[in-house]
Amino acid sequence: MNRTALLLAAALTVSLPLSATAQSISKVNGAVEVAAGQTIDDISTVNGAVSVAANAIVKGDVTVVNGAIQIADGARVGDVSAVNGGVSAGARLTASDVSTVNGAIHLGTGARISKDVSSVNGEILLQSGSSIGGDVSTVNGAIGLIGTRVSGNVESVNGNMTVGVNSVVNGDIIYQAPKGISFSFNNKRRVPTVMIGPRAQVKGNLRFEREVKLYVHSTAKVGKITGATAVAYSTDRAPTP
């Protein structure tokens, strides 16, 4: 969260300069666009969206406080982070780390992320052929893996999770216990649904510190399950909870 803290501090600093050089772009207000095939060092803006065109290269970080980040096919970037805004990418993204506080993360087919993909309040969707070198995590938001390989853990607190067809999780699936007090109109906490799909593999353990509805396909392979009872299914379509 160090980078996020720096971004928030920048948002409160009225004297932050506007600068643009051949190697980097930094703004307080305004969108940033990187042209197709262009190579630069870093991108940062406080209030504005960022667009990185196809096959562009950002050798450093892409950071936004208030605004969405859109990255086109074949782009290569460093760390990607937003505070209030989502991150969406086309096919074959190469990045070090992707994170947001309030916003969804949608990565296209064949993404290569060397470290983590994380959100606090927002869903995470990873398409087929993607590879994540670290963890995938969110607090309040769904996680969907479609034909994706995750080297680390997949973690959540309150969101639904689908480890879809042919996905592989080398680490654990972890649901942490919710912190604080949560109320709804019917005075019941929503119970997340966890689906382990056809031919999916979870090579680590499945650890649940809270109540979940767990469904495991008959062709899936999973490790030790603690804190939940798995319901087996064998249909192509996931059962309705």
Side-chain angles (χ1 to χ4, degrees), residues 97-99 105 107 113 115-120 122-127 130-139 141-146 148-157 160-163 168-176:
D97 185 275
V98 181
S99 66
I105 297 174
L107 305 186
I113 312 301
K115 295 186 288 187
D116 301 330
V117 177
S118 62
S119 173
V120 178
E123 70 177 14
I124 296 174
L125 178 61
L126 307 178
Q127 299 284 355
S130 294
S131 176
I132 312 302
D135 299 333
V136 176
S137 64
T138 184
V139 177
I143 294 176
L145 309 179
I146 303 173
T148 295
R149 180 176 292 272
V150 179
S151 296
N153 299 328
V154 181
E155 304 182 24
S156 185
V157 177
N160 294 335
M161 183 184 299
T162 299
V163 181
V168 178
V169 178
N170 286 324
D172 297 337
I173 287 179
I174 302 170
Y175 267 75
Q176 298 178 2

Side-chain angles (χ1 to χ4, degrees), residues 35-202:
Q38 184 179 3
T39 298
I40 63 174
D41 285 339
D42 298 283
I43 297 172
S44 66
T45 182
V46 177
N47 299 305
V50 169
S51 175
V52 179
N55 300 313
I57 298 173
V58 181
K59 294 188 288 185
D61 299 339
V62 179
T63 54
V64 176
V65 177
N66 300 307
I69 299 173
Q70 294 185 325
I71 305 173
D73 294 353
R76 289 185 287 162
V77 299
D79 288 353
V80 179
S81 64
V83 177
N84 297 307
V87 177
S88 61
R92 303 181 311 281
L93 169 69
T94 300
S96 297
D97 185 275
V98 181
S99 66
T100 181
V101 178
N102 299 307
I105 297 174
H106 293 171
L107 305 186
T109 58
R112 295 289 182 269
I113 312 301
S114 59
K115 295 186 288 187
D116 301 330
V117 177
S118 62
S119 173
V120 178
N121 300 305
E123 70 177 14
I124 296 174
L125 178 61
L126 307 178
Q127 299 284 355
S128 60
S130 294
S131 176
I132 312 302
D135 299 333
V136 176
S137 64
T138 184
V139 177
N140 301 306
I143 294 176
L145 309 179
I146 303 173
T148 295
R149 180 176 292 272
V150 179
S151 296
N153 299 328
V154 181
E155 304 182 24
S156 185
V157 177
N158 296 314
N160 294 335
M161 183 184 299
T162 299
V163 181
V165 178
N166 297 322
S167 293
V168 178
V169 178
N170 286 324
D172 297 337
I173 287 179
I174 302 170
Y175 267 75
Q176 298 178 2
K179 294 179 173 61
I181 300 175
S182 176
F183 293 101
S184 63
F185 289 112
N186 61 4
N187 203 31
K188 290 183 179 180
R189 192 191 301 273
R190 190 184 66 82
V191 178
T193 298
V194 180
M195 297 280 186
I196 311 299
R199 299 179 301 281
Q201 298 181 57
V202 181

